[in-house]
Amino acid sequence: MSKQKNISKIRNIGIMAHIDAGKTTVTERILYYTGKSHKIGEVHDGEATMDWMQDEQDRGITITSAVTSCQWKGAMIQIIDTPGHVDFTVEVERALRVLDGAIGVFCAVGGVEPQSETVWRQADRYEVPRMAFINKMDRTGADFFAAVDSIREKLAANPVMLQVPIGAEDQFRGVIDLVSMQQIFWDDESMGAEYTAKEIESEYEDLALEYRDKLLEAVSETDDEIMEKYLGEEEISVAELKAAIRRATINRDMVPVLCGSALKNKGVQPLLDAIDFYLPSPKDIPPVQGIHPESEEVIDFRPEKNGPLAALIFKVSMIEGRKLSFARIYSGRIEAGKDVFNPALKRKEKLSRILKMHANKRERLNEASAGDIIGIVGLKDSGTGETLCNQDAPVFLEKMEYEDPVISIAIEPKTHADQEKLDTVLEKFMIEDPTLKMRKDEETGQTILSGMGELHLEIIISRMVKEFNTNVNVGKPQVVYREIVTAPARGQAVFERDIQGKSHYADVTVELNPLERGKGVTFRSLVSDEQIPPQYVPAIETGIRESLEGGYLKGYPLVDVEIVLASGGTEEGRGSELGFSVCAAMACKEALKSAAMALLEPIMDVEVFVPDANMGDAIADLNSRGGKVESINPKGNIQIVKAVVPLARMFGYSTALRSATQGRGTFTMQFKSFDRV
């Protein structure tokens, strides 16, 4: 057992970046330097040693891709992999949800790039406190101050420099720490593990004093005590300054900026110090809120080990046939081998193993508690976004209501070998991502894959090939429509047949009435028990509901309709569930033959982020797609355009937007509702 941990020393962070800004190198270096300190600090940290042999059986479960943890000067830093692709699925959102803070890594040459703009905005939506690390200071064209300006302009953030670089490009030597007023140089021979902090040399004094004053001015704008001392020209201690920067960062009033070159092993240790000093612990952020499944009351969960259990599964991976669930524990504790309650399934699940990933080893834990992010083996049916809690204190940390998929593609395996793998691979994807659906088209024999958008399905297909070596032919994307009746309709049918020596007789009359949009399918019966014995009514309802699934106009599901069982009958001894079920489906088809019907199409909520200069083109393009612009809000020099657009007109939009904005425009799209075509 490890000794009691201090929750205020935990940092749950994500590292987010544009594709080529050096996110992986920064993460690797963090693990390299903390791995060294972790080996030295292992014993006095009281960490339990891990049972290597037993864990060999778990090989292949690469937890690193989702979460890895390391120790630095007494802080436990848990790094969550924020997916690089914003593919509008649940996973990016969940990763951001379980973070307490984040580091934006930017390239000193490129500054803020489109992908970093996108993830930054998502983090804005989740109110995640952030720091920035300007990487690649050694590259030709590196410009620290221009990169900081681009954070201010493009992200509408308030970047505050805690360091300035000494030199740039091939002359980049180290950094000046403006908080402690020291200069830091790294030793190349020790791969940057050794570094020296000393007084600032006279040639850099003016630079240091100029930017120290800018730092104090920026901090004083967010903190009254610092403001008084700054204006009164009183001495401000390093401890006071750090505390003020920490408060402003957690309140999202500023983004502290550091710099370095991860590849050249410079700048990583001060970044680790800054994670510890300035980013929040689970105790520094508002308590997570959950909803009681029955009473619907809102419950606050504070990060306390002895509180009620509240944990969120934020990612599920299927690796070598094993299911590994990643969870963030917000409150309470869990123990290996014990049961937990899943309120969505309304039953218990057993935790066979709890795993923690370290920089240099995987560790099996006996228990984990508030603030921890862990891998769990043994949850059979629990899925992404579901809550684990105690049976006597049930809670939903998040209402799990997945929208129905709105876009489909037909796929076929290219070879016989691919055919054998296809179903298994798709099953894995559906466990990982609940917004993905699959069905077999009986007529064509094709597999129909449905998802939340073009990019969502593109990424699934690309993962099939790259990760599972399964090749498929892909049909054009198709929109998933719905059908409705627009006026009441009535149909009647009689079913009379002998099947396997038994005589069946049923007579059913149904009415179909249109309902308001979004009301679904409802059923009521007007028949007396004498007309139709009550035990056959559920079979009638099932028969009708199943027949509506295939629609009538184009074979799409029929929605927003009230089914009324108007009248019916049977003969003595000839009533049966089979007879009434088949007869009800026939009556329903008769009603649809004479019904006035219409198609509904999916309408999407689209949010487009465009630079001021490209506004006209972006709006004109949305109008040409039949979109209705609902609002335009400026944020910095970016305009956020909110519109509703039919999904059928959004195919190819990402390419059109990129070319209209020189690659700087981005958009998100989610299902809003179905509306008349």
Side-chain angles (χ1 to χ4, degrees):
M1 256 338 270
S2 58
K3 68 178 184 181
Q4 179 70 38
K5 68 167 183 283
N6 182 352
I7 293 176
S8 62
K9 295 302 285 180
I10 293 176
R11 300 287 179 272
N12 290 324
I13 61 160
I15 298 181
M16 42 199 230
H18 186 80
I19 282 150
D20 201 28
K23 178 171 98 164
T24 312
T25 318
V26 171
T27 312
E28 295 261 320
R29 291 301 184 273
I30 285 176
L31 295 184
Y32 176 70
Y33 297 127
T34 57
K36 292 215 147 181
S37 68
H38 183 72
K39 278 181 189 163
I40 299 161
E42 208 162 44
V43 182
H44 72 248
D45 282 339
E47 289 290 332
T49 48
M50 172 180 124
D51 185 353
W52 274 102
M53 288 320 294
Q54 182 65 50
D55 235 34
E56 282 293 295
Q57 299 166 0
D58 281 0
R59 252 182 352 172
I61 297 180
T62 44
I63 303 183
T64 356
S65 66
V67 55
T68 180
S69 59
C70 52
Q71 301 219 350
W72 180 254
K73 297 183 181 176
M76 165 63 84
I77 299 171
Q78 305 188 102
I79 301 169
I80 297 156
D81 192 24
T82 56
H85 274 293
V86 184
D87 48 3
F88 320 134
T89 53
V90 286
E91 200 159 296
V92 183
E93 308 280 317
R94 289 272 142 62
L96 283 166
R97 173 177 174 148
V98 298
L99 298 174
D100 298 332
I103 301 166
V105 176
F106 301 96
C107 169
V109 183
V112 175
E113 294 166 286
Q115 186 69 46
S116 41
E117 276 186 64
T118 310
V119 281
W120 193 272
R121 282 197 208 98
Q122 280 189 299
D124 276 342
R125 206 160 53 219
Y126 282 85
E127 301 185 346
V128 178
R130 272 150 286 174
M131 297 189 329
F133 181 70
I134 310 290
N135 190 27
K136 302 196 175 184
M137 280 303 305
D138 58 307
R139 266 187 58 187
T140 307
D143 186 335
F144 173 73
F145 300 104
V148 174
D149 286 343
S150 77
I151 293 174
R152 183 176 293 109
E153 288 162 15
K154 291 186 181 175
L155 303 177
N158 176 25
V160 175
M161 293 175 261
L162 305 191
Q163 297 176 342
V164 287
I166 298 173
E169 303 180 340
D170 56 358
Q171 297 299 306
F172 175 63
R173 296 172 54 218
V175 300
I176 292 170
D177 183 329
L178 301 171
V179 178
S180 65
M181 285 302 272
Q182 290 182 307
Q183 66 182 36
I184 304 172
F185 290 119
W186 279 265
D187 168 43
D188 288 337
E189 285 184 18
S190 67
M191 288 265 304
E194 305 289 327
Y195 57 99
T196 48
K198 56 182 188 180
E199 278 189 26
I200 297 168
E201 293 166 12
S202 55
E203 61 183 296
Y204 303 125
E205 254 176 23
D206 290 348
L207 175 77
L209 288 168
E210 179 192 344
Y211 282 97
R212 163 80 170 190
D213 196 56
K214 288 185 177 178
L215 167 64
L216 293 177
E217 189 183 334
V219 176
S220 68
E221 284 172 11
T222 69
D223 195 288
D224 293 345
E225 286 174 31
I226 301 284
M227 170 80 83
E228 273 182 41
K229 289 194 165 186
Y230 177 66
L231 293 176
E233 296 188 358
E234 293 174 51
E235 184 65 34
I236 296 167
S237 73
V238 171
E240 284 175 307
L241 185 54
K242 280 183 177 174
I245 295 170
R246 178 177 180 79
R247 284 191 295 273
T249 306
I250 291 172
N251 293 336
R252 299 185 3 268
D253 292 330
M254 71 159 67
V255 175
V257 182
L258 295 91
C259 64
S261 164
L263 191 65
K264 294 284 195 291
N265 311 308
K266 292 179 171 66
V268 178
Q269 294 93 337
L271 176 65
L272 284 161
D273 287 338
I275 291 169
D276 183 16
F277 294 152
Y278 308 123
L279 287 179
S281 79
K283 288 194 161 179
D284 297 317
I285 53 170
V288 70
Q289 292 192 321
I291 292 171
H292 192 285
E294 276 119 42
S295 66
E296 300 269 316
E297 85 170 287
V298 175
I299 311 162
D300 280 355
F301 288 93
R302 299 186 184 284
E304 289 159 2
K305 179 177 178 174
N306 297 320
L309 175 63
L312 181 78
I313 299 171
F314 65 92
K315 178 184 172 104
V316 173
S317 288
M318 294 295 292
I319 295 155
E320 293 187 355
R322 279 172 181 259
K323 181 173 172 184
L324 183 71
S325 311
F326 294 99
R328 157 85 193 252
I329 305 174
Y330 287 99
S331 162
R333 66 196 184 95
I334 59 174
E335 290 181 63
K338 296 280 175 72
D339 288 342
V340 286
F341 185 68
N342 180 330
L345 303 175
K346 296 189 175 156
R347 61 187 164 83
K348 290 178 177 176
E349 287 253 62
K350 192 181 233 28
L351 308 170
S352 55
R353 285 180 194 171
I354 305 173
L355 299 173
K356 187 161 201 71
M357 194 66 184
H358 286 293
N360 56 351
K361 65 175 189 177
R362 189 178 312 135
E363 182 180 1
R364 283 184 66 179
L365 299 177
N366 295 326
E367 68 163 50
S369 57
D372 283 336
I373 293 177
I374 46 164
I376 299 173
V377 180
L379 297 177
K380 286 199 174 64
D381 301 308
S382 298
T384 302
E386 289 176 5
T387 304
L388 303 176
C389 56
N390 297 327
Q391 193 162 4
D392 53 5
V395 65
F396 285 122
L397 285 180
E398 180 168 305
K399 276 285 205 200
M400 293 315 300
E401 288 168 5
Y402 297 116
E403 300 293 355
D404 285 338
V406 289
I407 181 169
S408 296
I409 50 175
I411 57 174
E412 312 175 315
K414 283 194 173 170
T415 66
H416 188 65
D418 293 324
Q419 170 73 61
E420 288 171 0
K421 283 191 278 187
L422 185 61
D423 289 351
T424 322
V425 170
L426 287 176
E427 210 170 289
K428 285 182 180 171
F429 283 145
M430 287 183 340
I431 289 171
E432 288 180 15
D433 180 354
T435 58
L436 188 70
K437 298 274 187 285
M438 167 188 109
R439 69 180 173 83
K440 284 273 195 287
D441 187 318
E442 300 304 329
E443 288 177 20
T444 62
Q446 290 172 315
T447 299
I448 308 293
L449 205 56
S450 307
M452 304 313 291
E454 245 181 318
L455 185 57
H456 183 191
L457 294 177
E458 255 173 55
I459 286 167
I460 293 289
I461 298 296
S462 126
R463 282 185 63 195
M464 257 186 219
V465 178
K466 287 180 189 154
E467 289 176 35
F468 296 96
N469 207 9
T470 308
N471 292 294
V472 288
N473 294 318
V474 182
K476 277 207 174 84
Q478 302 290 326
V479 174
V480 180
Y481 292 90
R482 297 283 185 272
E483 299 182 11
I484 51 166
V485 293
T486 55
R490 190 180 176 96
Q492 190 248 341
V494 174
F495 177 78
E496 189 171 9
R497 196 166 297 169
D498 289 342
I499 300 170
Q500 293 181 336
K502 181 170 173 18
S503 178
H504 301 264
Y505 179 84
D507 178 357
V508 175
T509 302
V510 295
E511 287 175 1
L512 303 178
N513 296 318
L515 290 177
E516 281 176 44
R517 202 65 60 251
K519 290 290 186 204
V521 178
T522 64
F523 175 86
R524 65 190 171 99
S525 169
L526 302 179
V527 300
S528 65
D529 294 355
E530 285 72 45
Q531 285 177 289
I532 296 178
Q535 70 264 32
Y536 298 134
V537 173
I540 291 173
E541 182 179 352
T542 305
I544 296 173
R545 282 182 181 275
E546 284 176 358
S547 71
L548 294 181
E549 278 299 305
Y552 185 75
L553 274 182
K554 303 267 185 190
Y556 295 110
L558 199 76
V559 294
D560 301 338
V561 63
E562 179 195 41
I563 308 159
V564 181
L565 175 53
S567 67
T570 184
E571 291 176 356
E572 188 67 43
R574 297 179 72 194
S576 67
E577 287 190 358
L578 170 70
F580 275 110
S581 175
V582 174
C583 187
M586 289 161 58
C588 186
K589 280 282 187 276
E590 285 301 315
L592 290 173
K593 275 182 190 172
S594 59
M597 297 185 71
L599 276 181
L600 298 180
E601 66 176 339
I603 303 293
M604 310 303 279
D605 266 330
V606 179
E607 210 172 21
V608 191
F609 301 86
V610 243
D612 286 345
N614 309 112
M615 263 299 279
D617 293 345
I619 300 261
D621 185 41
L622 284 172
N623 289 339
S624 74
R625 294 170 188 271
K628 293 190 188 83
V629 174
E630 293 187 328
S631 68
I632 300 173
N633 299 307
K635 184 167 185 190
N637 62 350
I638 291 276
Q639 300 285 345
I640 303 172
V641 182
K642 291 190 175 175
V644 290
V645 192
L647 174 66
R649 307 289 293 279
M650 286 298 284
F651 292 143
Y653 182 64
S654 52
T655 314
L657 181 65
R658 273 201 297 271
S659 58
T661 60
Q662 290 83 51
R664 285 192 55 206
T666 58
F667 77 103
T668 62
M669 174 169 80
Q670 58 192 31
F671 173 73
K672 178 178 192 274
S673 61
F674 278 98
D675 218 338
R676 287 280 289 268
V677 172

